[in-house]
Structures are given as C-alpha cells and as structure tokens.
Amino acid sequence: MHLVLANYFPVLVFLAIALGIGGAMVGGSMLVARQMPYAEKVSAYECGFEAFGDARRRFDVRFYLVAILFIIFDLEVAFLFPWAISLGRIGLFGFFSMLAFLGVLTVGFIYEWCKGALEWE
Amino acid sequence: MHDFFFNTLVGHVLLVMGETLAVLVPVLMLMAYSTYFERKALGAFQLRRGPNRVGPFGLTQPFADAVKLLFKETIIPAGANRLLFLMAPAITFVLACMAWAVIPTFDGGAVADINVGILYLFAISSLGVYGIVVAGWASNSKYAFLGALRSAAQMISYEVSIGFVLVCVILCAGSLNLNDIVRAQKNLWYCVPLFPMFVVFLVSMLAETNRAPFDLPEGESEIVAGFFVEYSSMAFGLFFLGEYTNMLLMSALASILFLGGWQAPFGLSFIPGVVWLLLKICMFMFFYFWVRATFPRYRYDQLMRLGWKVFLPLSLGWVVVTAGFLEVFHMLPGESM
C-alpha cells in the first residue's frame, strides 16, 4: 500500500510546482503591471459593438449529443484497456467475448449513423 | 549523501522536487523555443525571415515576448466569474505540466514510473477539456462560449480514436507502463506494423491540441480567438504555455508509442536515449508547423465527419484486426504457448 502510493508521489510534486509557476506568473503580472479598468475595457468583446444580452443562453443540441456519444465510446475504450493487457491469458474465449460486446456497440453505432446523429450541416 | 536522498523523508522529497524541476525546466525552455522555431519555420515556408531583431538571429525573442506579456494589464471582464476566469488558464497549464511526470526520458527514467502510465496520460488529456470549457463559460462572452463548445466537442471526438489507437499499441506491448512499451519496440518500432494507426494518431493529435488545420475553436475569421478571446496578459500567457506544452506532450507520446521513445535507431546506442527522444519530439513539432503552413482550415462539419465517420470505424476495426492477428499467430505478449 505504502509503496504503491509512493510511486504516485511525484505526480503531487508536479501538481504543486506547476501551480506555483502558474500562480507566480499571473500574480506577478498583476503586481507589476498597472491595472486601469474602466467600463468599456471590461465589457465583453463583440467586434466593436456594445455587448448585448448574456452569453449564457441556449446552444445547439448537437454538442450535447456528441458529449453523450463520447461517454459511450470512452467507456468502451476503458473496457478495452484491461482486455488488451490480459488477452494473452484469457485466450480465444476472451477474444470472442469482447468481439460480441464490440458487435453490440457497432450495431448501435450503425443505428445512430443512419439516424443522422453524426450529421452537421 | 546517498543515504540522505534515498533513506530520509526530507531527502526523498527534495530528490523528487529536483527530478521534477529537471523535467519541467527543459520542457518549458523547449516550449519557449518551439514558439521561436514555429515563427522561423513559418517565415521560411513563406519566404520571410521570421523574428530576427531581438538578440542574435532573434534568439531571445521568446523571453522578450514573456516579459512583454508580464507587463500587460490583466483585464477581467465585468460579467465574468472572476474565480473561474482565473482558474481556467491555471487548469490548462497545470494539467499540461502534470502529464510529464510519467514520460520516460531514458531506460527506466520517468519521474513517476507508474504501472498505468498510459491510462494516466489518457485521464489527464481528458481533463484538459475542463480548462477550455471553464474559460469559455466564465468569460461570459459569446465568442468565448462558442469557441469553448466547439473545442470541447472536437477534443472529445478525437479522444475516442486516440483511445482505440492506444488499445492497439498496448495489445502489441502487453503493458500500460510507458517504459515497457518503449522496451517492447526494441526490434521493431510500432509505426511499421501499426502504420494506419500511426497516421490516425498523427491527425488526431493535431485535432486534440486544436492546431491547424483543425484550429476551428480559435478560427480568427469567425469567432476571433475562441475560448480565450477575453484573456490578456499572463492569463493568456498560461493558455499559450499550456497549448505548446500539450503539443510537446503529444509529440513525446507519439515518439514513445510509435517511434520507440528513447530507443536508438540503426544501433546508434552510443548516443544517449534522451537525445533521441528530443530529436523525435522536435521532428513531430516540425510536423505540426509544416502542416500549419501547408493546409487550409477544415470546416466544422468536415472535422466532425472525419472524427466520427472515418477515424472511429477505422481505429475500432483495427483494434479487432490487431487482436485477431496476434491471437491467430500466437504473438500476444504473456501468452502461454
């Protein structure tokens, strides 16, 4: 237990040092540069127009769809990782089990393709 | 001295911090000079000189840029969520740096030589989307919001194919440890047997880092700069650092997965592995700049079609082909004959 976690200790050190560098850069810039905000400067950029409305509004549902498809396929990849490592030990049975699983997913993929879920005009 | 660094807690912490700096400082220097190299390369492609005023051959240009950014005002838009607005560039930068913890620079030489190296990199690069989405949302600007949405959709689309490419590689190597993957390429680099996946990875890594010809998230002719349109000064600088560090990381990953990482080609092993890794990384960085100078930008529907309708079926099919081939010819690593 102790040794396994010790392997990951450098990751924490990387996190701390990177946070330090990043914080020092932004903080240092805020200290040395003159800050002179005024209403026009801090308004949202809209190509020279006065900003109208709020940016947090409705957006195209297809972005949402892409995110859902991503979750499905990323989960599939997550299942494939341990399978790929142990394929030599689980033999043909393991191979065909995963093939069946991939087959089911492929049917779903063909369905969404035919339904036009992957179309962007 | 040896006892101090390896047997006491304080010594161990100092040792790891030293190792971390020994990786991060060269990476950040490499990042600074890759901006210079990019401008020089683009200049050469367009028969210009590129930066040549600051220092001999313009060599101190990256530092001049950094100092200039440092002395600029950090503008925080009135409608923005201040905390998230400042957190977003930090997330991008910190994640880009953290990934370097597992990159092996010579045989056995990763700061954190963990067993699930590839999984760790995959997780970190998935988290990279957060920096961009948070930036776009916190800015409360329409361009930033649109750019963030586009960027997120693009990155997750190509992440799927990258995932399948990684599965192909670990099928051949039989390990998630990056050092083991490099060692498994002692006789044959994976860019030869897995050539189609190598191509898929090369193109996906352009899309994953939002680089030309897939730089739609920042398409300056339509949404001005995308998710970082409201950023200025060092907050912008951190995004810039993060983007280039990510490019270096993807180059390193491509070298490790397909070009044998620190393995020397043609038996030239008297040159140390870290030099070979650096050379391979530089080669991929040049590939980035070459592509940027050569190809026009994709349209968004073309980009999504390429990701979902070409790369996804191709890489998924190739996983099955690779697994089937290794199974039939009993070439799986760790297989009991």
Side-chain angles (χ1 to χ4, degrees), chain A residues 43-121:
Chain A
S43 69
Y45 173 75
E46 261 171 46
C47 284
F49 286 101
E50 298 266 336
F52 58 94
D54 195 80
R56 286 150 197 175
R57 45 203 275 174
R58 288 185 291 178
F59 59 91
D60 200 328
V61 70
R62 273 174 300 196
F63 288 110
Y64 187 70
L65 200 61
V66 166
I68 289 190
L69 289 179
F70 164 71
I71 290 177
I72 297 171
F73 281 99
D74 217 39
L75 265 182
E76 187 181 344
V77 172
F79 281 134
L80 281 173
F81 272 109
W83 170 78
I85 292 293
S86 55
L87 189 59
R89 265 152 281 160
I90 56 181
L92 274 180
F93 176 70
F95 177 70
F96 282 111
S97 310
M98 188 47 92
L99 223 55
F101 174 65
L102 289 183
V104 173
L105 267 162
T106 310
V107 171
F109 182 64
I110 293 169
Y111 175 75
E112 85 203 18
W113 189 322
C114 295
K115 274 283 177 186
L118 305 175
E119 303 294 334
W120 295 69
E121 71 267 1

Side-chain angles (χ1 to χ4, degrees), chain B residues 195-333:
Chain B
F195 184 71
M197 291 300 97
F198 181 50
V199 175
V200 169
F201 189 87
L202 277 184
V203 179
S204 299
M205 79 181 195
L206 294 174
E208 185 72 9
T209 46
N210 295 331
R211 294 292 297 184
F214 306 114
D215 54 348
L216 288 120
E218 42 194 281
E220 63 270 12
S221 50
E222 17 178 340
I223 49 173
V224 283
F227 58 89
F228 55 73
V229 60
E230 298 290 349
Y231 282 87
S232 58
S233 180
M234 263 305 162
F236 166 76
L238 278 192
F239 269 125
F240 203 69
L241 272 169
E243 176 176 338
Y244 278 79
T245 313
N246 264 329
M247 284 164 65
L248 284 170
L249 178 75
M250 290 310 264
S251 305
L253 193 56
S255 334
I256 287 165
L257 294 181
F258 292 104
L259 292 191
W262 37 257
Q263 301 269 17
F266 316 120
L268 293 170
S269 48
F270 60 91
I271 302 172
V274 61
V275 176
W276 286 114
L277 184 67
L278 269 177
L279 275 177
K280 289 166 188 172
I281 289 177
C282 290
M283 200 189 77
F284 281 113
M285 290 304 277
F286 182 71
F287 168 76
Y288 267 110
F289 308 146
W290 193 5
V291 166
R292 177 173 171 188
T294 309
F295 293 108
R297 185 177 293 139
Y298 255 51
R299 229 170 44 217
Y300 202 69
D301 60 320
Q302 293 172 327
L303 170 93
M304 295 309 258
R305 193 188 63 213
L306 182 69
W308 287 101
K309 293 190 174 176
V310 181
F311 283 180
L312 177 62
L314 181 66
S315 51
L316 183 55
W318 205 263
V319 168
V320 177
V321 169
T322 310
F325 183 87
L326 294 173
E327 189 76 58
V328 167
F329 290 97
H330 295 287
M331 286 161 69
L332 280 163

Side-chain angles (χ1 to χ4, degrees), chain B residues 37-59:
Chain B
F37 182 44
E38 170 168 35
R39 290 166 69 182
K40 273 288 185 198
L42 285 181
F45 279 122
Q46 297 163 357
L47 303 179
R48 296 183 283 113
R49 281 181 187 279
N52 63 349
R53 282 289 173 271
V54 192
F57 307 103
L59 272 173

